[in-house]
């Protein structure tokens, strides 16, 4: 379990999320699969987020503008990297070739390859351009510098 999920606790958390997916029901929606119904999908997204939010160890502390941008970049970039690894995986990889991650990506491609292709396109559309990230980074640095300057002025008074 640790190899597949990182820890036994994470395995059971994913099992809980899977249970929510199995039991999810939206009255009157007419759809039977949350992945094919916008209404079901929205409820599932909120359900999974609700499970994770209810486990939050404490409210998030105040973060700097730069930290906020870094968290936003990571939360948008990591799904792209994962979906890309799946879509680019070599399904013909022999057992004596590649890494464990290569084999996992190949297995995921065999199982959910069509989903991965669409998900990658959607994740890439949601990702700001490199130019936009640079503008956001520069704005965050300016905001943080301004905040630090104002804090210094208040302390001198």
């Amino acid at each position: 379990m640790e190899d597949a999920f990182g820890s036994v606790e994470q395995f059971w958390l994913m099992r809980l999320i899977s249970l929510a997916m199995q039991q999810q029901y939206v009255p009157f929606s007419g759809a039977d699969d949350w992945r094919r119904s916008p209404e079901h999908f929205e409820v599932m997204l909120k359900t999974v987020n609700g499970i994770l939010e209810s486990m939050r160890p404490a409210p998030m502390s105040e973060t700097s503008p730069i930290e906020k941008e870094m968290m936003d970049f990571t939360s948008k970039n990591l799904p792209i990297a994962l979906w890309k690894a799946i879509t680019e995986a070599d399904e013909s990889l022999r057992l004596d070739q590649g890494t464990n991650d290569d084999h996992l990506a190949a297995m995921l491609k065999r199982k959910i390859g069509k989903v991965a292709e669409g998900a990658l396109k959607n994740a890439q559309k949601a990702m700001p351009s490199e130019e936009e990230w640079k503008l956001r980074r520069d704005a965050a640095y300016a905001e943080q510098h301004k905040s630090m300057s104002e804090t210094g002025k208040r302390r001198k008074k």
Side-chain angles (χ1 to χ4, degrees):
M1 278 190 255
E2 288 91 351
D3 286 345
F5 293 92
S7 72
V8 173
E9 186 177 58
Q10 283 188 174
F11 164 80
W12 287 109
L13 174 60
M14 292 299 107
R15 184 61 188 103
L16 173 64
I17 289 171
S18 176
L19 184 63
M21 290 175 172
Q22 292 167 349
Q23 294 183 358
Q24 189 258 350
Y25 172 70
V26 179
F28 314 111
S29 74
D32 61 353
D33 187 341
W34 65 269
R35 295 169 298 161
R36 290 171 181 76
S37 160
E39 295 80 15
H40 272 180
F41 189 89
E42 186 66 23
V43 172
M44 183 55 60
L45 188 62
K46 289 179 179 180
T47 300
V48 171
N49 194 48
I51 290 169
L52 295 174
E53 281 291 340
S54 66
M55 295 175 53
R56 188 183 288 275
M60 269 189 57
S61 58
E62 181 107 5
T63 58
S64 73
I66 296 166
E67 289 170 320
K68 287 178 188 172
E69 288 303 321
M70 288 171 57
M71 287 188 287
D72 193 35
F73 179 81
T74 300
S75 69
K76 287 184 174 22
N77 195 47
L78 185 56
I80 291 172
L82 294 171
W83 290 123
K84 193 172 187 181
I86 295 168
T87 59
E88 294 177 354
D90 180 1
E91 293 179 81
S92 64
L93 197 63
R94 294 188 342 229
L95 287 176
D96 63 341
Q97 297 175 322
T99 65
N100 288 341
D101 287 345
D102 294 334
H103 286 280
L104 176 59
M107 182 175 62
L108 288 167
K109 184 174 185 175
R110 285 189 293 276
K111 301 293 183 184
I112 61 168
K114 287 188 181 5
V115 171
E117 290 170 13
L120 175 59
K121 288 177 186 170
N122 290 339
Q124 287 172 327
K125 278 191 247 175
M127 179 71 148
S129 68
E130 185 176 341
E131 187 76 20
E132 175 66 20
W133 281 118
K134 287 178 182 177
L135 291 171
R136 289 170 63 169
R137 177 200 61 203
D138 293 347
Y141 276 117
E143 186 179 336
Q144 185 164 329
H145 179 71
K146 180 181 174 186
S147 175
M148 290 170 64
S149 295
E150 289 172 0
T151 302
K153 287 177 186 175
R154 277 186 254 137
R155 286 185 183 159
K156 287 180 183 178
K157 288 182 181 181

